[in-house]
């Protein structure tokens, strides 16, 4: 083992400087809305947001009062029946969806199936020869699998075609053709943190005659989004990452106003019926957002998820974005400065316009290095191949924590403090 | 208002007699596993099972320890990732499904879509001309709507045909034809409480060349079921009624062993992938039960649901059935004896072989009468048209409560103590 050169002591950035920035942070007080274990630096809020203050009390109320005492009557008296729309309204406020456009229900994958089915049905009426679904090769794989499942079920020439991220950023100069019915895009690449521009990309897709569904799993709650203004057709996303809904909390689906009453989906359970308690054998879809629903939702998970949405409803998303970029600039600068002697590559785009709310770096021993960091209570995660992922969540992560993280990385790399035999276990769930 | 005749005082049944039966009830101690409000007689456990003892503590553990402290690591360390299979194993024990056959995930409606899609795909390979799905006209409407949604999406002549309950009980003498690919049946009619025989009905359907999916929403946890022995193909059901999983707790899906590796479903999210953390863009289904999964589940709702399954794993389902029939016999006898002067009709079949775990009665003022009962703390529910529904759940309902319920009904009917202007609000969720 060679001893690395000592790090320059003339670095422009110091820990004291980071502490100063934290002291001046206008979002500082939001940290009290989260309960994080003492001594942990949690950089995995892009995978599972931490516990919200009040979650335990909310669960107690639901179990003791609503379920325990209210019993079946709580569907009305505690408004369980209205939770999907109530939480949807809060999501809409966070992602610029407009009133009456969004519901919280089911999982992201299920909601993608509904949205893609509805979009393809509209295209089958308007442009029946369009039967290709484009999506990023690097989209979160579940989205690709769901689209493949849908295309296979539809048969009749429907198929999924994969495009590279660069093609999307360039506005589809070569892949968009008159075969393309639908484009499904992740707003932020889960692995690299690359951000795509919803407005210009949507315009390029519409100019090519296709519809677009945006997956906001890695951007909702992380940066300002103006869904309505972007002209997008539909969007889906989860509530358990940047929105702190709790493990596996239900997902959301948004549909542009002009499409809402053309929206028709095959998962047409009774929650989407115009008159669910008529118990009529024939299906009639509800007007508006209830038609995106299917069946009965887990009330406990849904109720606790509301707390995370309430926090994000109180915050100015422009401030969140500003601090997020400051944190990731700092992270990247420190990697450049202090890990320069190591085979570390910053995977996340350096341009602000192309960067989400995370920094991913690549190292040949990525898995073992991340394991060593986690041993020290600094929790990021690992994604194949060789990528260490650090989520930067401005409401509870500060500049000093970024400093301490890169310093810990430096110590581990300088002194080769990782176990090369570290056993790869099943990865953490994104 | 006329004064009704006084009730006969020579009745064979007395409250004291009911109290004696409760004292001798071998299931008596199970009542301590549930937390019911003082003074309430809860006869709606067929719609939403009441709070389980320990639910609040379990939710605290999940929120404080698993989510709060364990954070992202709890997907492995708290085995969140394994909950669908772990809870599925417990369901399998309760419904005779055999090991490795069942998962708990999503909603009943979503699971029906998966099962029906998979069954139709198998039939398309084996008997491509079969394109009709039969289901009961009186099946819970969401099942019908989901099948209609699937048939519409498949197109190509797929359609849903409705049959009467009598036709099912008679073994499909006129409706089964060589067009029928799949029959989807509720095991117990949610409204009338009529029970169908899984074994003989499955045989009749298989003899006709079709496959069968059973909906066990109103029977799982209520009576002994031997899915494997019945020869059934697939089954679905919920955990929040007789299984006390909590409001909207996740549903289950069971597939017969011989069909498991032919099972292919369009909702093919990453939880069903053979190697979900490879993040490969191409879909390969897992072997076995994981291929019934789609996306990330609400861990809080799922974790609390386990408590209800644990209670039912400890109980002898034959004793449950024996007491259930004794309770419903008592209910029906008392209606016959003590409500004879009123226009009340017992809708639930009187034959044990055709009776689930509820008693439904019809009265022209059904809604107003049920409202009056609920005012007294006796909670059943109402279903169109005119039906008062009383769920009989042997683990926490006794003979004396049945007596008190019918006496309250008698008082209300004898003295016309209902509000004819009672406003019909949205019904309770089944």
């Amino acid at each position: 083992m060679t001893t690395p050169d000592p790090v320059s002591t003339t670095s422009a950035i110091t820990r004291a400087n980071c502490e100063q920035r934290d002291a001046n942070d206008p979002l500082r007080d939001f940290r009290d809305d989260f309960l994080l274990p003492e001594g942990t630096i949690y950089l995995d809020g892009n995978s599972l947001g931490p516990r919200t203050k009040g979650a335990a009390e909310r669960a107690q109320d639901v179990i003791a009062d609503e379920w325990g005492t209210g019993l079946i009557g709580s569907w009305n008296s505690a408004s369980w029946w209205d939770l999907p729309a109530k939480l949807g309204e809060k999501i809409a406020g966070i992602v610029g969806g407009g009133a009456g456009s969004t519901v919280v229900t089911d999982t992201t994958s299920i909601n993608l199936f509904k949205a893609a089915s509805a979009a393809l049905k509209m295209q089958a009426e308007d442009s029946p020869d369009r039967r290709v679904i484009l999506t990023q090769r690097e989209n979160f794989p579940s989205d690709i699998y769901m689209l493949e499942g849908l295309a296979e079920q539809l048969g009749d020439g429907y198929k999924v075609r994969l495009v590279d991220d660069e093609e999307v950023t360039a506005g589809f100069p070569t892949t968009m053709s008159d075969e393309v019915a639908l484009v499904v895009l992740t707003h932020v690449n889960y692995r690299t943190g690359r951000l795509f521009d919803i407005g210009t990309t949507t315009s390029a897709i519409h100019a090519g005659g296709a519809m677009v569904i945006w997956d906001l799993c890695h951007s909702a709650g992380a940066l300002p989004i103006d869904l309505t203004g972007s002209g997008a057709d539909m969007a889906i996303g989860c509530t358990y990452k940047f929105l702190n809904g709790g493990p596996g909390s239900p997902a959301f689906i948004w549909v542009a106003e002009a499409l809402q009453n053309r929206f028709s989906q095959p998962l047409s359970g009774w929650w989407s019926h115009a008159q669910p308690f008529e118990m009529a054998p024939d299906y009639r879809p509800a007007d508006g957002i209830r038609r995106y629903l299917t069946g009965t939702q887990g009330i406990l998970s849904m109720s606790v998820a509301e707390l995370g949405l309430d926090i994000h409803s109180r915050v100015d998303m422009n401030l969140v974005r500003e601090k997020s970029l400051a944190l990731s600039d700092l992270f990247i600068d420190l990697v450049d400065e202090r890990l320069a002697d190591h085979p570390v590559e910053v995977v996340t785009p350096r341009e602000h316009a192309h960067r989400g709310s995370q920094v991913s770096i690549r190292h040949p021993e990525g898995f073992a290095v991340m394991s060593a960091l986690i041993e020290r209570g600094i929790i990021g995660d690992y994604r194949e191949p060789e990528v260490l992922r650090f989520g930067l969540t401005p409401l509870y992560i500060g500049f000093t924590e970024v400093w301490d993280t890169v310093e810990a990385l430096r110590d581990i790399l300088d002194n080769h403090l990782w176990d090369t035999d570290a056993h790869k276990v099943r990865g953490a769930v994104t």
Side-chain angles (χ1 to χ4, degrees), chain A residues 70-91:
Chain A
L71 290 158
I72 189 72
S74 288
W75 282 106
N76 291 315
S77 61
S79 299
W80 287 347
W81 183 257
D82 299 316
L83 285 176
K86 180 184 177 200
L87 270 63
E89 209 63 9
K90 296 184 179 191
I91 294 275

Short mmCIF file of all heavy atoms in Angstrom, two decimals, chain A residues 70-91:
data_model
loop_
_atom_site.label_atom_id
_atom_site.label_comp_id
_atom_site.label_asym_id
_atom_site.label_seq_id
_atom_site.Cartn_x
_atom_site.Cartn_y
_atom_site.Cartn_z
N GLY A 70 -63.45 4.46 15.65
CA GLY A 70 -64.36 4.83 14.55
C GLY A 70 -64.80 3.65 13.72
O GLY A 70 -65.84 3.67 13.08
N LEU A 71 -63.96 2.61 13.71
CA LEU A 71 -64.26 1.39 12.97
C LEU A 71 -64.70 1.72 11.54
O LEU A 71 -64.15 2.61 10.92
CB LEU A 71 -65.30 0.56 13.75
CG LEU A 71 -64.75 -0.07 15.06
CD1 LEU A 71 -65.85 -0.40 16.05
CD2 LEU A 71 -63.93 -1.33 14.74
N ILE A 72 -65.67 0.96 11.02
CA ILE A 72 -66.06 1.12 9.62
C ILE A 72 -66.52 2.55 9.30
O ILE A 72 -66.36 3.02 8.17
CB ILE A 72 -67.18 0.10 9.29
CG1 ILE A 72 -67.47 0.06 7.79
CG2 ILE A 72 -68.46 0.38 10.07
CD1 ILE A 72 -66.38 -0.60 6.99
N GLY A 73 -67.03 3.24 10.32
CA GLY A 73 -67.52 4.59 10.09
C GLY A 73 -66.45 5.57 9.67
O GLY A 73 -66.74 6.63 9.12
N SER A 74 -65.18 5.20 9.92
CA SER A 74 -64.09 6.13 9.59
C SER A 74 -63.90 6.32 8.09
O SER A 74 -63.26 7.29 7.67
CB SER A 74 -62.79 5.65 10.23
OG SER A 74 -62.84 5.87 11.62
N TRP A 75 -64.44 5.43 7.29
CA TRP A 75 -64.37 5.69 5.85
C TRP A 75 -65.00 7.03 5.53
O TRP A 75 -64.53 7.76 4.66
CB TRP A 75 -65.03 4.56 5.05
CG TRP A 75 -64.13 3.36 4.95
CD1 TRP A 75 -64.27 2.18 5.62
CD2 TRP A 75 -62.94 3.25 4.16
NE1 TRP A 75 -63.23 1.34 5.29
CE2 TRP A 75 -62.41 1.95 4.41
CE3 TRP A 75 -62.28 4.10 3.29
CZ2 TRP A 75 -61.23 1.51 3.79
CZ3 TRP A 75 -61.10 3.65 2.67
CH2 TRP A 75 -60.61 2.37 2.93
N ASN A 76 -66.07 7.36 6.28
CA ASN A 76 -66.66 8.69 6.10
C ASN A 76 -66.15 9.68 7.14
O ASN A 76 -65.64 10.74 6.79
CB ASN A 76 -68.20 8.59 6.17
CG ASN A 76 -68.78 7.86 4.98
OD1 ASN A 76 -68.39 8.10 3.85
ND2 ASN A 76 -69.68 6.93 5.23
N SER A 77 -66.25 9.33 8.44
CA SER A 77 -66.00 10.33 9.48
C SER A 77 -64.54 10.76 9.53
O SER A 77 -64.23 11.90 9.86
CB SER A 77 -66.44 9.80 10.85
OG SER A 77 -65.71 8.63 11.18
N ALA A 78 -63.62 9.87 9.21
CA ALA A 78 -62.21 10.26 9.18
C ALA A 78 -61.75 10.53 7.75
O ALA A 78 -60.56 10.68 7.49
CB ALA A 78 -61.34 9.16 9.81
N SER A 79 -62.70 10.55 6.83
CA SER A 79 -62.42 10.88 5.42
C SER A 79 -61.39 9.97 4.76
O SER A 79 -60.67 10.39 3.87
CB SER A 79 -61.97 12.35 5.29
OG SER A 79 -62.99 13.20 5.74
N TRP A 80 -61.34 8.71 5.20
CA TRP A 80 -60.41 7.78 4.54
C TRP A 80 -60.66 7.73 3.03
O TRP A 80 -59.73 7.67 2.24
CB TRP A 80 -60.59 6.37 5.10
CG TRP A 80 -60.06 6.16 6.48
CD1 TRP A 80 -59.24 6.99 7.19
CD2 TRP A 80 -60.31 5.03 7.31
NE1 TRP A 80 -58.97 6.43 8.41
CE2 TRP A 80 -59.60 5.23 8.51
CE3 TRP A 80 -61.05 3.84 7.17
CZ2 TRP A 80 -59.63 4.31 9.56
CZ3 TRP A 80 -61.07 2.93 8.20
CH2 TRP A 80 -60.37 3.15 9.39
N TRP A 81 -61.96 7.74 2.70
CA TRP A 81 -62.35 7.63 1.31
C TRP A 81 -61.76 8.78 0.47
O TRP A 81 -61.53 8.65 -0.73
CB TRP A 81 -63.88 7.62 1.26
CG TRP A 81 -64.47 7.45 -0.09
CD1 TRP A 81 -65.02 8.42 -0.88
CD2 TRP A 81 -64.59 6.22 -0.83
NE1 TRP A 81 -65.46 7.88 -2.06
CE2 TRP A 81 -65.21 6.53 -2.06
CE3 TRP A 81 -64.23 4.89 -0.58
CZ2 TRP A 81 -65.48 5.57 -3.02
CZ3 TRP A 81 -64.49 3.94 -1.55
CH2 TRP A 81 -65.11 4.28 -2.75
N ASP A 82 -61.53 9.91 1.11
CA ASP A 82 -61.07 11.09 0.37
C ASP A 82 -59.56 11.27 0.36
O ASP A 82 -59.04 12.22 -0.25
CB ASP A 82 -61.72 12.36 0.96
CG ASP A 82 -63.25 12.32 0.85
OD1 ASP A 82 -63.73 11.94 -0.23
OD2 ASP A 82 -63.91 12.63 1.84
N LEU A 83 -58.83 10.39 1.07
CA LEU A 83 -57.38 10.59 1.18
C LEU A 83 -56.66 10.65 -0.17
O LEU A 83 -55.78 11.49 -0.35
CB LEU A 83 -56.75 9.52 2.07
CG LEU A 83 -56.99 9.66 3.58
CD1 LEU A 83 -56.40 8.47 4.33
CD2 LEU A 83 -56.36 10.95 4.11
N PRO A 84 -56.96 9.78 -1.14
CA PRO A 84 -56.23 9.86 -2.41
C PRO A 84 -56.32 11.24 -3.07
O PRO A 84 -55.32 11.76 -3.56
CB PRO A 84 -56.89 8.78 -3.27
CG PRO A 84 -57.38 7.77 -2.27
CD PRO A 84 -57.87 8.61 -1.11
N ALA A 85 -57.51 11.83 -3.04
CA ALA A 85 -57.67 13.16 -3.65
C ALA A 85 -57.07 14.25 -2.76
O ALA A 85 -56.45 15.20 -3.25
CB ALA A 85 -59.15 13.44 -3.90
N LYS A 86 -57.23 14.10 -1.44
CA LYS A 86 -56.69 15.11 -0.52
C LYS A 86 -55.16 15.17 -0.61
O LYS A 86 -54.57 16.25 -0.71
CB LYS A 86 -57.12 14.75 0.91
CG LYS A 86 -56.64 15.71 1.98
CD LYS A 86 -57.04 15.18 3.36
CE LYS A 86 -56.52 16.07 4.47
NZ LYS A 86 -56.48 15.35 5.76
N LEU A 87 -54.53 14.02 -0.60
CA LEU A 87 -53.07 14.01 -0.71
C LEU A 87 -52.64 14.41 -2.12
O LEU A 87 -51.59 15.05 -2.31
CB LEU A 87 -52.49 12.63 -0.34
CG LEU A 87 -52.15 12.46 1.15
CD1 LEU A 87 -53.37 12.56 2.03
CD2 LEU A 87 -51.43 11.14 1.38
N GLY A 88 -53.44 14.03 -3.11
CA GLY A 88 -53.13 14.41 -4.47
C GLY A 88 -53.08 15.93 -4.63
O GLY A 88 -52.22 16.48 -5.33
N GLU A 89 -54.00 16.61 -3.95
CA GLU A 89 -54.04 18.07 -4.01
C GLU A 89 -52.73 18.66 -3.46
O GLU A 89 -52.20 19.64 -3.99
CB GLU A 89 -55.24 18.55 -3.20
CG GLU A 89 -55.83 19.84 -3.66
CD GLU A 89 -56.42 19.80 -5.07
OE1 GLU A 89 -56.53 18.71 -5.67
OE2 GLU A 89 -56.73 20.87 -5.60
N LYS A 90 -52.21 18.04 -2.42
CA LYS A 90 -50.96 18.52 -1.84
C LYS A 90 -49.78 18.26 -2.77
O LYS A 90 -48.89 19.10 -2.93
CB LYS A 90 -50.74 17.88 -0.47
CG LYS A 90 -51.81 18.30 0.52
CD LYS A 90 -51.63 17.78 1.94
CE LYS A 90 -52.77 18.33 2.81
NZ LYS A 90 -52.57 18.11 4.25
N ILE A 91 -49.77 17.10 -3.41
CA ILE A 91 -48.74 16.80 -4.42
C ILE A 91 -48.81 17.83 -5.55
O ILE A 91 -47.79 18.36 -5.99
CB ILE A 91 -48.94 15.39 -5.02
CG1 ILE A 91 -48.71 14.31 -3.99
CG2 ILE A 91 -48.06 15.21 -6.25
CD1 ILE A 91 -47.30 13.88 -3.80
#
